[in-house]
Amino acid sequence: MKKPVKLPSDIVGMLLPRLNDEFKAAYFYRAASNWCNNVGYFKAGEFFAKESEDEFGHAKKIEQFLVDWNVTPDLPVIQKPTTTFLNICDLICQAYQMEYALYEAYEDTSLKIFKTGDMCVFDFLQQYRTGQTKAVAEYSDMLNVLEGVNCDSKFEMLLLEEKLF
């Protein structure tokens, strides 16, 4: 009896770090949501809770892709995320940096996979490249709104919360 084909180990090795990144992002946004709710930014807390759910969904898709290709992925150990922020501007800045780093990671991983000739996996990653492009633009827009704002003024931040989230 012939065994089903497994995704090559070099490809698996390229996808597992992205799985780890998605879990780290989910934990970061979960911590951000908790912080926001604790300091009275309830709309932002709701926004970041949804971001966390989205990131867990991204991880689930990578896991399922690996399982569909007969690979049981090792779940990563996730380092405890930051649980306090200087202010909402600091949180948005950290989120932007994380999303941009993930954008670059998906670009790099996609290029490496393209060079292997595995177009199926390359095509699978298209949804992540597109999603990261949107995420970077979204957080970039938030940072642009915050230019010139006194980020230490909770009053100003509460007034901007509706526009930002």
Side-chain angles (χ1 to χ4, degrees), residues 87-132:
N87 50 48
I88 201 82
C89 297
D90 178 47
L91 192 164
I92 291 168
C93 187
Q94 287 188 45
Y96 173 80
Q97 291 169 342
M98 179 184 65
E99 293 292 355
Y100 193 83
L102 194 48
Y103 162 83
E104 288 182 320
Y106 275 114
E107 287 285 308
D108 183 59
T109 299
S110 294
L111 182 59
K112 288 176 182 172
I113 288 174
F114 181 78
K115 289 178 180 178
T116 71
D118 195 326
M119 298 311 292
C120 177
V121 179
F122 179 81
D123 289 346
F124 169 73
L125 291 176
Q126 175 62 45
Q127 64 189 304
Y128 292 93
R129 292 190 307 273
T130 300
Q132 284 312 123

Side-chain angles (χ1 to χ4, degrees), residues 8 14 21 30 39 49 54 60-61 86 117 139 156-157 159:
M14 289 183 235
D21 290 341
R30 190 73 243 152
V39 297
D54 289 347
K60 184 177 178 181
K61 285 181 186 178
L86 299 175
Y139 284 99
E156 285 184 46
M157 293 295 93
L159 289 174

